[in-house]
């Protein structure tokens, strides 16, 4: 009995955690996930010491905050240009260009301590002040993964994509922390010199990512545009309106009778333009999501990982090795939680998973600065990490299903630009608060903004049906009707 139970349990767990989905995925899917691991390893390593490095070269707290904000402003510009034109210019070329910018930034930080040179390198290149995604990579990779993955397993693929990114951050942080602490014990090694070694490693990892982009296949490039959802599955004006309408008073989504249309798709009647076009339905859903994501990102911008490490260092005098271990633990917990999120989303849906997992993390974030004991503060940080990233994979799948396949790269690029632009206002505010010994206010504001985003998301999209869900239901209804007629 036990002999047959264990293999059955193993198969069930593998299915629930999406293990079969990632193992059976294409070579390009695995390469994109590996790229994210390498990139987030570099981001995690640099994030741990970014604020400390700037402080070691005599940059004030207010200017550190300004530096982080200007870094994000530069990312907005670079990301917007590269992601908007990525499909027309080539996704692989765009990823390689972003990798080259990442390498260039690492080289400058490894050899220069001038504030304005560092600012210029961070604006024109790719440096992450938060340890999270920055640059054009995420939007392009998510669009490509959506293209390579069937809808049935897409949430599994995004869960592993997110998990590997978090694992990369965790490994980068812990290795960086203990490497810096070891280097500082060596003769004639100052903190500044130790930090610069990390940026040298950052530049090297940019080269590795460039090589990984080179070996991607043609399947990663956009598919030729064709008529979307044609002959009954194409969304006509009536169906578009139903997608964005409110629910009835009894909570049942409004529906409209199917209206067939045979009109040609605009994409099929004209040559492909370098400037992507969005359908009216996609523009409206994009506007709603951008407003909500802006509030969430502003909260995240107030307390990026660089500021959190700086907070623990200045308030509790924690060494780099201890900080590295702490953030390694939180990143590993966050990584593993993504697999749980994928399983939950299959049962309660993407939206509820996004909200009910993200809300507790916002509450714990607001509690972090309140204790005077380092252990209690670290406990709140670890509790926050348990659900901090559980909304990411469902959110990516939700966004991918809400727009047409040919629109995904542009839409995800715009969303990331809006999120980064909103995030950019946070660090400078936190820098000013830190300068007047009011660091704790930033944590409270961040928690309130993130909690508000969760509740607004639930209010606006509860009962929403994505385009893919609506198209699948229409197809099943048509097949059922045709079967009954025959």
């Amino acid at each position: 009995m036990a002999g047959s139970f264990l293999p059955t349990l193993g198969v069930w767990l593998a299915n629930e955690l999406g293990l079969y989905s990632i193992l059976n995925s294409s070579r390009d899917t695995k390469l994109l996930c590996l790229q994210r691991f390498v990139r987030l390893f570099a981001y995690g390593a640099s994030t741990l010491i970014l604020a400390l490095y700037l402080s070691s070269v005599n940059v004030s707290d207010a200017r550190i905050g300004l530096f982080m904000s200007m870094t994000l402003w530069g990312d907005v510009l670079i990301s917007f240009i590269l992601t908007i034109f990525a499909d027309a210019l080539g996704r692989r070329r765009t990823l390689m260009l972003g990798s080259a910018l990442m390498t260039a930034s690492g080289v400058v930080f490894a050899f220069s301590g001038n504030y304005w040179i560092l600012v210029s390198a961070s604006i024109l290149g790719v440096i992450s002040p938060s340890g999270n995604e920055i640059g054009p990579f995420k939007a392009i990779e998510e669009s490509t993964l959506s293209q390579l993955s069937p809808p049935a397993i897409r949430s599994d693929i995004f869960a592993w994509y997110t998990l590997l990114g978090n694992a990369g951050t965790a490994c980068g942080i812990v290795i960086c922390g203990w490497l810096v602490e070891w280097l500082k014990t060596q003769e004639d090694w100052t903190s500044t010199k130790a930090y610069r070694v990390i940026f040298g490693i950052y530049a090297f990892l940019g080269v590795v990512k460039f090589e990984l982009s080179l070996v991607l296949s043609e399947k990663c490039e956009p598919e030729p545009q064709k008529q979307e959802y044609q002959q009954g599955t194409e969304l006509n004006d009536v169906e578009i309106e139903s997608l964005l309408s409110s629910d009835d008073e009894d909570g049942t989504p409004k529906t409209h009778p199917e209206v067939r249309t045979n009109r040609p798709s605009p994409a099929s009647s004209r040559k492909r333009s370098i400037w992507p076009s969005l359908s009216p339905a996609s523009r409206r859903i994009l506007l709603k999501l951008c407003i909500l994501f802006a509030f969430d990102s502003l909260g995240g911008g107030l307390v990026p990982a660089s500021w959190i490490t700086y907070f623990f260092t200045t308030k509790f005098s924690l060494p780099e090795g201890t900080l590295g271990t702490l953030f390694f633990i939180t990143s590993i917990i966050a990584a593993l939680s993504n697999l749980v999120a994928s399983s939950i989303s299959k049962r309660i849906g993407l939206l509820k998973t996004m909200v009910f997992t993200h809300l507790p993390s916002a509450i714990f974030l607001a509690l972090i600065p309140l204790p005077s004991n380092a252990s209690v503060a670290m406990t709140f940080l670890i509790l926050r990490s348990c659900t901090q990233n559980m909304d990411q994979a469902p959110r990516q799948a939700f966004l991918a299903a809400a727009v047409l396949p040919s629109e995904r790269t542009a839409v995800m690029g715009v969303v990331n630009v809006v999120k980064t632009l909103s995030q950019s206002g946070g660090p400078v505010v936190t820098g000013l608060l830190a300068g007047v010994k009011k660091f704790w206010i930033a944590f409270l504001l961040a928690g309130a903004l993130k909690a508000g985003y969760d509740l607004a998301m639930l209010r606006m999209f509860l009962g929403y049906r994505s385009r893919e869900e609506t198209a699948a239901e229409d197809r099943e209804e048509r097949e059922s009707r045709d079967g009954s007629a025959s």
Side-chain angles (χ1 to χ4, degrees):
M1 187 74 175
S4 61
F5 173 74
L6 291 178
T8 302
L9 178 62
V11 171
W12 179 81
L13 282 174
N15 279 320
E16 287 296 310
L17 300 179
L19 186 59
Y20 289 138
S21 298
I22 190 66
L23 289 178
N24 296 325
S25 64
S26 66
R27 172 178 173 272
D28 288 322
T29 296
K30 295 182 178 72
L31 283 172
L32 288 170
C33 291
L34 179 58
Q35 281 198 47
R36 191 166 199 256
F37 176 87
V38 172
R39 183 171 69 255
L40 269 294
F41 184 103
Y43 289 171
S46 63
T47 296
L48 183 70
I49 49 92
L50 178 60
L52 300 175
Y53 173 62
L54 294 173
S55 180
S56 73
V57 292
N58 302 317
V59 178
S60 67
D61 289 353
R63 294 184 85 189
I64 292 174
L66 180 62
F67 173 91
M68 293 183 186
S69 290
M70 287 191 290
T71 296
L72 294 171
W73 293 333
D75 175 61
V76 169
L77 177 63
I78 298 297
S79 296
F80 180 78
I81 294 173
L82 293 182
T83 54
I84 286 296
F85 300 119
D87 282 358
L89 299 177
R91 291 174 180 171
R92 290 174 298 171
R93 290 193 187 96
T94 307
L95 290 174
M96 285 186 280
L97 177 57
S99 301
L101 293 174
M102 179 178 168
T103 299
S105 297
V107 170
V108 172
F109 273 73
F111 289 99
S112 176
N114 181 276
Y115 180 77
W116 291 110
I117 292 177
L118 295 178
V119 167
S120 301
S122 65
I123 290 176
L124 299 176
V126 180
I127 287 286
S128 174
S130 63
N132 296 323
E133 286 288 5
I134 196 170
F137 310 110
K138 186 169 182 282
I140 298 171
E141 290 173 353
E142 287 177 353
S143 178
T144 306
L145 288 172
S146 298
Q147 177 179 305
L148 296 172
S149 308
I153 65 168
R154 193 175 291 150
S155 62
D156 291 338
I157 298 299
F158 277 130
W160 279 95
Y161 173 78
T162 305
L163 180 149
L164 290 170
N166 290 337
T169 301
C171 294
I173 286 175
V174 71
I175 291 174
C176 166
W178 288 108
L179 178 59
V180 166
E181 193 159 325
W182 177 77
L183 288 173
K184 287 167 66 176
T185 64
Q186 305 305 301
E187 188 176 354
D188 297 328
W189 276 85
T190 63
S191 295
T192 303
K193 287 177 66 177
Y195 298 149
R196 286 177 174 168
V197 169
I198 302 302
F199 288 113
I201 296 173
Y202 184 94
F204 170 75
L205 292 174
V207 175
V208 173
K209 191 185 177 309
F210 184 93
E211 295 293 332
L212 290 173
S213 300
L214 273 177
V215 297
L216 291 170
S217 74
E218 285 282 349
K219 295 179 181 178
C220 294
E221 300 299 344
E223 295 176 336
Q225 291 194 14
K226 56 186 178 181
Q227 188 172 341
E228 307 274 12
Y229 301 114
Q230 57 183 341
Q231 296 182 354
T233 60
E234 179 188 19
L235 295 180
N236 50 55
D237 294 338
V238 176
E239 290 168 328
I240 288 172
E241 186 62 30
S242 71
L243 278 174
L244 297 172
S245 61
S246 302
D247 294 346
D248 288 332
E249 292 181 0
D250 62 359
T252 305
K254 293 179 181 178
T255 59
H256 295 275
E258 178 184 340
V259 179
R260 287 181 178 248
T261 176
N262 292 319
R263 65 191 176 191
S265 168
S268 64
S269 60
R270 66 174 183 268
K271 291 183 178 180
R272 178 178 178 143
S273 170
I274 192 172
W275 186 265
S277 61
L278 301 180
S279 64
S282 294
R283 287 197 297 269
R284 293 165 67 177
I285 197 76
L286 177 61
L287 177 61
K288 290 183 178 181
L289 289 173
C290 283
I291 293 172
L292 292 173
F293 290 163
F295 281 96
D296 179 49
S297 298
L298 178 58
L302 287 167
V303 283
S306 294
W307 269 134
I308 295 178
T309 60
Y310 191 73
F311 168 79
F312 276 96
T313 299
T314 55
K315 183 172 181 177
F316 301 114
S317 301
L318 296 182
E320 289 87 354
T322 303
L323 280 174
T325 302
L326 172 63
F327 280 88
F328 172 79
I329 293 171
T330 60
S331 297
I332 288 297
I333 292 174
L336 295 176
S337 69
N338 282 287
L339 298 182
V340 180
S342 177
S343 180
I344 293 174
S345 67
K346 296 173 184 176
R347 288 166 170 76
I348 67 174
L350 298 172
L351 178 65
K352 291 180 181 178
T353 304
M354 291 161 57
V355 174
F356 296 149
T357 59
H358 191 254
L359 185 58
S361 72
I363 296 172
F364 288 123
L365 175 63
L367 294 175
I368 288 174
L370 301 184
S372 56
N373 182 278
S375 297
V376 179
M378 288 190 288
T379 299
F380 285 141
L381 182 65
I382 292 172
L383 289 173
R384 180 209 178 197
S385 70
C386 292
T387 61
Q388 175 185 357
N389 291 333
M390 287 180 72
D391 70 313
Q392 289 189 10
R395 181 167 58 189
Q396 291 157 349
F398 180 86
L399 183 57
V403 299
L404 298 174
S406 61
E407 300 170 337
R408 284 173 183 152
T409 301
V411 166
M412 291 177 177
V414 169
V415 166
N416 285 339
V417 165
V418 169
K419 289 169 63 177
T420 305
L421 188 61
S422 303
Q423 187 181 2
S424 66
V428 67
V429 174
T430 303
L432 294 174
L433 291 172
V436 295
K437 310 302 180 184
K438 301 292 183 181
F439 212 145
W440 59 273
I441 295 178
F443 286 89
L444 295 180
L445 288 175
L449 286 169
K450 285 180 169 291
Y453 152 78
D454 291 322
L455 298 176
M457 192 81 184
L458 185 64
R459 173 66 181 86
M460 293 179 67
F461 288 98
L462 187 62
Y464 169 78
R465 308 293 292 173
S466 73
R467 287 184 156 182
E468 288 183 341
E469 291 171 325
T470 304
E473 289 173 359
D474 289 345
R475 185 165 52 252
E476 290 176 2
E477 182 182 347
R478 187 172 60 258
E479 290 173 354
S480 176
R481 187 169 57 248
D482 292 343
S484 300
S486 61

